[in-house]
């Protein structure tokens, strides 16, 4: 494994999950699967001493370093990072806010393509994560299952023959599996159907969160849908519930909302998305919230054929690269809020000036 002194390699690239090439990628941004695992012989993190945390981190790092298949993995000591660097990894969806804000020894191992990562000393000793572009849960599951088997071959997990994998939170006991799908749902937001749709989801043990998971706000019309509990369910049952039952219904609702908007007011919608592109392309300064709002409209316009010459992958990247920590890493210096607003506008200009509205009959 590689232990970079900074995050420059990540700054220059974008994760595979942002490329917008997976199934249903006009609506589904990414499919993510996480596995919660703990090491036998250690307390759960909240009961760990700092010495326990260091021993867990050292043991995990030593075992991962011995795996030849992981020689290109970047291993980052989160506890030694600056606040901006930790926020950068959160924005990139490579670590959680919980591990970013925690204390003591903690780390993350990151795949160069950013398809998978392993957090060390988050809520559980290990949080293994795989992210794929679009609605691609089956292949994401196949990949994380192989990774989990490989890691389990090196480390002894805390496992109970009756209850399954033991986790810090009782709702994760059993498979330790969290299946999440990030969706872009501007049609349902514009038609004011979003609350109705998600109220219907609450009855079937799924939860809805914002872009950065638990406790985060809904911005840019992004919503993460995931299973609420794992105990008593097999991996296949959870994958089927989220990937074959819940998410396809939401996709269908969103497509119907988009069809309605095109049928009842295509010119109004064209005007709305064109104005959004115009603001992003010409503003001299702009906040994160405004940027997310207008990028959501532009992304909708691109996917409906109302805007030419802007790629979905570009919009997906801008959602992440215009966040505060990313801007500061890209510019190579700390920026005040006012400076970030100016730099964000400049960055948007560089990537959107060639875009424009499509011809509409």
């Amino acid at each position: 494994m590689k232990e970079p002194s900074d995050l420059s390699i990540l700054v220059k690239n974008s994760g595979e999950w942002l490329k917008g090439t997976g199934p249903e990628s006009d609506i589904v941004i990414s499919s993510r699967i996480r596995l919660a695992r703990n090491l036998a012989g250690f307390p759960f993190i909240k009961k760990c001493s700092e010495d326990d945390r260091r021993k867990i981190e050292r043991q995990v790092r030593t075992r991962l370093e011995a795996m030849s298949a992981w020689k290109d993995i970047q291993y980052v000591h989160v506890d030694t990072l600056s606040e901006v660097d930790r926020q950068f990894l959160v924005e990139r969806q490579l670590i959680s806010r919980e591990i970013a804000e925690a204390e003591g020894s903690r780390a993350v191992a990151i795949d160069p393509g950013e398809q998978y990562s392993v957090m060390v000393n988050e809520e559980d000793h290990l949080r293994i994560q795989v992210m794929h572009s679009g609605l691609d849960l089956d292949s994401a599951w196949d990949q994380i299952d192989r990774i989990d088997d490989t890691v389990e071959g090196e480390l002894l997990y805390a496992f109970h023959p009756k209850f399954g994998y033991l986790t810090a939170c009782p709702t994760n006991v059993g498979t330790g599996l969290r299946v999440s799908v990030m969706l872009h749902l501007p049609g349902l937001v514009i038609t004011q159907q979003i609350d109705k749709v998600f109220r219907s989801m609450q009855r079937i043990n799924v939860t809805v969160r914002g872009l950065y998971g638990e406790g985060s706000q809904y911005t840019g019309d992004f919503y993460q849908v995931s299973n609420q509990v794992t105990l008593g369910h097999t991996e296949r049952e959870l994958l089927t519930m989220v990937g074959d039952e819940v998410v396809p219904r939401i996709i269908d609702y969103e497509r119907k909302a988009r069809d309605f908007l095109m049928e009842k007011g295509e010119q109004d919608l064209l005007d709305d998305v064109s104005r959004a592109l115009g603001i992003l392309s010409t503003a001299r300064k702009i906040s994160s919230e405004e940027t997310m709002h207008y990028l959501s409209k532009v992304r909708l316009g691109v996917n409906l054929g109302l805007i030419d010459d802007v790629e979905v992958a570009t919009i997906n990247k801008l959602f992440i690269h215009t966040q505060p920590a990313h801007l500061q890493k890209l510019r190579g210096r700390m920026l005040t809020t006012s400076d970030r607003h100016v730099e964000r506008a400049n960055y948007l200009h560089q990537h959107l000036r060639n875009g424009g509205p499509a011809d509409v009959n």
Side-chain angles (χ1 to χ4, degrees):
M1 291 191 303
K2 302 175 181 178
E3 297 192 26
S5 58
D6 58 47
L7 303 177
S8 57
I9 297 174
L10 294 175
V11 173
K12 297 174 183 177
N13 301 313
S14 293
E16 291 290 328
W17 62 275
L18 283 172
K19 294 189 175 178
T21 56
E24 312 285 4
S25 58
D26 57 328
I27 294 175
V28 179
I29 302 294
S30 64
S31 299
R32 179 172 67 186
I33 296 181
R34 276 186 181 173
L35 291 174
R37 298 290 187 256
N38 288 280
L39 305 188
F42 289 96
F44 291 132
I45 285 296
K46 287 191 176 180
K47 294 293 184 179
C48 277
S49 66
E50 178 52 31
D51 187 54
D52 289 330
R53 289 171 180 259
R54 283 195 295 266
K55 287 178 179 177
I56 292 167
E57 187 277 324
R58 191 181 306 117
Q59 183 174 334
V60 171
R61 175 164 41 90
T62 300
R63 296 296 186 181
L64 295 185
E65 284 175 342
M67 295 161 53
S68 59
W70 285 42
K71 66 181 186 315
D72 294 325
I73 297 296
Q74 297 180 58
Y75 192 86
V76 180
H77 294 272
V78 177
D79 53 309
T80 65
L81 296 178
S82 66
E83 183 178 352
V84 168
D85 282 348
R86 294 196 303 272
Q87 183 58 34
F88 170 84
L89 293 176
V90 172
E91 292 172 1
R92 200 61 158 251
Q93 305 276 327
L94 292 170
I95 65 172
S96 65
R97 294 191 305 170
E98 288 76 14
I99 195 171
E101 296 168 2
E103 296 181 354
S105 181
R106 58 203 194 279
V108 60
I110 303 169
D111 157 51
E114 298 179 40
Q115 272 199 338
Y116 64 89
S117 63
V118 179
M119 287 180 279
V120 184
N121 288 343
E122 199 233 29
E123 181 181 62
D124 293 284
H125 300 158
L126 295 177
R127 285 286 177 94
I128 305 170
Q129 167 183 288
V130 165
M131 291 184 70
H132 284 195
S133 177
L135 184 58
D136 195 23
L137 287 172
D138 284 339
S139 62
W141 165 249
D142 289 341
Q143 184 177 15
I144 202 169
D145 190 33
R146 292 193 302 270
I147 293 170
D148 185 43
D149 287 346
T150 301
V151 174
E152 191 169 16
E154 299 289 335
L155 297 164
L156 182 60
Y157 287 160
F159 183 86
H160 190 280
K162 180 179 180 181
F163 299 115
Y165 292 102
L166 303 181
T167 57
C169 180
T171 59
N172 289 329
V173 170
T175 62
L177 179 69
R178 174 65 59 85
V179 180
S180 302
V181 176
M182 188 189 300
L183 301 120
H184 183 226
L185 304 174
L188 289 172
V189 173
I190 295 170
T191 58
Q192 300 181 345
Q193 296 294 305
I194 193 74
D195 290 338
K196 177 182 176 182
V197 169
F198 284 134
R199 278 198 302 270
S200 70
M201 298 292 108
Q202 293 174 353
R203 297 192 293 269
I204 49 178
N205 289 321
V206 297
T207 186
V208 182
R209 297 183 170 95
L211 180 61
Y212 296 111
E214 189 169 358
S216 62
Q217 295 181 335
Y218 305 125
T219 58
D221 303 323
F222 286 117
Y223 298 85
Q224 284 196 59
V225 176
S226 60
N227 58 295
Q228 205 159 18
V229 296
T230 70
L231 187 60
H233 297 280
T234 66
E235 291 91 346
R236 179 46 55 187
E237 287 171 344
L238 294 171
L239 288 165
T240 298
M241 179 182 68
V242 176
D244 296 339
E245 298 172 6
V246 174
V247 170
R249 285 170 57 188
I250 299 174
I251 291 173
D252 184 55
Y253 291 141
E254 173 65 18
R255 292 207 189 286
K256 288 177 179 176
R258 294 183 184 191
D259 289 344
F260 174 82
L261 290 170
M262 288 292 284
E263 290 170 7
K264 300 299 182 181
E266 184 174 345
Q267 289 296 330
D268 290 338
L269 188 58
L270 174 62
D271 181 68
D272 198 25
V273 301
S274 299
R275 286 174 183 269
L277 180 60
I279 291 170
L280 292 171
S281 302
T282 61
R284 306 311 302 170
K285 59 181 182 178
I286 191 167
S287 69
S288 293
E289 293 76 14
E290 288 178 290
T291 300
M292 295 289 282
H293 174 71
Y294 291 124
L295 281 175
S296 176
K297 292 179 180 293
V298 172
R299 191 178 193 279
L300 176 63
V302 171
N303 282 315
L304 291 178
L306 299 175
I307 292 178
D308 285 334
D309 302 325
V310 180
E311 299 292 334
V312 169
T314 299
I315 302 301
N316 288 351
K317 184 177 78 169
L318 290 174
F319 275 116
I320 303 300
H321 282 208
T322 56
Q323 295 299 306
H326 269 76
L327 278 177
Q328 293 176 89
K329 295 297 291 182
L330 286 163
R331 293 302 182 241
R333 65 183 190 277
M334 296 290 291
L335 299 169
T336 65
T337 300
S338 179
D339 288 341
R340 288 200 301 269
H341 290 178
V342 173
E343 291 294 341
R344 183 177 293 109
N346 291 336
Y347 191 78
L348 289 164
H349 296 169
Q350 295 169 17
H351 291 80
L352 292 176
R353 277 290 173 87
N354 292 329
D359 293 330
V360 177
N361 295 325

